[in-house]
Structures are given as C-alpha cells and as structure tokens.
Amino acid sequence: MDFPASLLPYFDWHLAIAAGVAVIAAALRAFTGFGANVVWGPVLMLFYGPVDMVVIMVLVAVVTAPQIAIPAARDADWKTIAIMGAAVAVAAPFGVITLLHLDPSTVKRAFGLFVLICSLVLASGWVYRGTHSPIATVATGALSGWIGGFAGIGGPVMVIYFLAAPGEIRVQRANNTIAVSLLAPLTLGALIWTGSIHTDAVIRSILLLAPVVLGQWIGV
C-alpha cells in the first residue's frame, strides 16, 4: 500500500466534524488568546478517546502556536510568564500520569466537569481578586499544568488569573496567548516521557493542522 492510500482510512466523518470544529475553536483562540481546547476537546474525546484527545490538541498546538504567539510576544510580561512556565513544567507530567492511570470513563466525566466549571466562571464574569505575587503565579501555573496534562484545558485557569491582573488589556491578552502557548510544548514533553504518543494520533494531528491554521488566520 502506498503512502497516500494508507491515509484514506483516516478521512471519515469523524475527521470532517473535528476539522470543522477546529476552525471555529482556532478562530476563537486567535481572537481572545484562549479557549480552543474547551471548544473542540469534547469532539476529539468523543471520537478518539481521552488520551488521543490530549495528544492531538498538544501536537497541533505546538506547530500552530507560533502563528499567534510571536506577534503577542512583544507585549507580554515575560517575568510572570517565566515563573508560571516553570510551575507548568513541573506539574504537567503529573497530569499526564493521572490521565493514563484513570479509567477513560472517569476521565470523560472529569473533563466534562472541567469544561462546565470553566464555562460558568467565564460566563459569569467572575474576576480573581487575590494577590498576583510569585506564589500565586506558581500556584496558577501548577494547577494549569496539571489540568493541561490531564485534560488539555489548562488555559482558562491562566486566563482568569491574567484578566484580573493590573495593566492594559493588550498586555493581558498577550500574557494569555503566550502562557497558553507554552502549555503545549511543556505537556508534549510529559506525553513523550510517558510513551503516550502513537502513529494514529500523529497522523490525525497532521491532518487537522490546516483547519487550525485557517481558523487562527480568521481569528487574527
């Protein structure tokens, strides 16, 4: 079987729906700086299962994040992002380990609960009123990293934290974009370390790259 023909089994209605939702999710992320995985994560989980959902979202994000992260880099607060990134790097592997050791049905319920809570918090307009000290930044990064490794949706925790920070909305959006973009490569390292990546997930990730790039272009 030649290479193009070997890809034909992947072109099914599952992939078509995932691609359509990917365009919408990526446009939302490019416009707001976050939210893509909350939108298309449920679709990927339904079709491909919890582990492949995280793998696909992370692989696609690693490749496509520079499209929106590079323009935002000049406005970001890099000191805060560096502290948060270090906490994410430590916590993400524990999230992946939890993902691999829990029953898939339990992971699905937990993912649904995370999405519901994030949606309700963001829709309510609730704003974090606590301190933005280095300790709070580390705690936010650790929680985001664990949820990112476990469910691929660590971004909203960062967003709630950054949107309440003092400063211009331009800086807040840049911080959101850069911090959420950093989640992907840091989580990818944990996925590789645990041997969670396999051929099917990689191929689907490649096939979904174009819809995500298109969506990000629309959002930008």
Side-chain angles (χ1 to χ4, degrees):
M1 182 180 294
D2 58 14
F3 180 70
S6 67
L7 294 179
L8 289 179
Y10 295 94
F11 287 92
D12 53 16
W13 65 274
H14 286 172
L15 185 71
I17 294 174
V21 176
V23 174
I24 299 171
L28 174 65
R29 183 190 175 195
F31 183 70
T32 64
F34 72 100
N37 290 354
V38 174
V39 174
W40 79 322
V43 175
L44 295 176
M45 177 173 291
L46 177 65
F47 293 157
Y48 306 125
V51 176
D52 279 10
M53 173 198 70
V54 175
V55 171
I56 291 170
M57 291 193 299
V58 166
L59 288 176
V60 170
V62 167
V63 177
T64 60
Q67 182 184 6
I68 58 175
I70 292 175
R74 63 180 179 273
D75 296 322
D77 176 6
W78 283 100
K79 179 180 178 180
T80 300
I81 289 175
I83 295 172
M84 186 172 290
V88 169
V90 172
F94 292 98
V96 173
I97 291 171
T98 306
L99 169 67
L100 296 176
H101 285 81
L102 284 183
D103 181 79
S105 62
T106 302
V107 175
K108 289 180 180 180
R109 293 187 182 94
F111 178 84
L113 181 61
F114 286 151
V115 170
L116 178 61
I117 292 173
C118 291
S119 301
L120 290 175
V121 170
L122 293 172
S124 70
W126 179 81
V127 176
Y128 170 72
R129 301 294 184 186
T131 177
H132 285 82
S133 66
I135 294 177
T137 303
V138 168
T140 301
L143 181 59
S144 298
W146 185 85
I147 296 176
F150 176 69
I153 53 171
V157 177
M158 294 177 171
V159 170
I160 293 170
Y161 181 78
F162 281 127
L163 288 182
E168 302 177 30
I169 188 65
R170 171 176 53 85
V171 176
Q172 293 174 342
R173 182 186 179 281
N175 287 341
N176 288 337
T177 301
I178 298 298
V180 172
S181 297
L182 283 176
L183 267 173
L186 294 175
T187 306
L188 177 60
L191 291 169
I192 294 173
W193 176 62
T194 55
S196 305
I197 300 175
H198 58 81
T199 303
D200 287 345
V202 172
I203 291 175
R204 291 189 177 104
S205 301
I206 294 172
L207 296 177
L208 289 168
L209 282 175
V212 171
V213 171
L214 172 62
Q216 290 188 162
W217 178 78
I218 294 171
V220 169

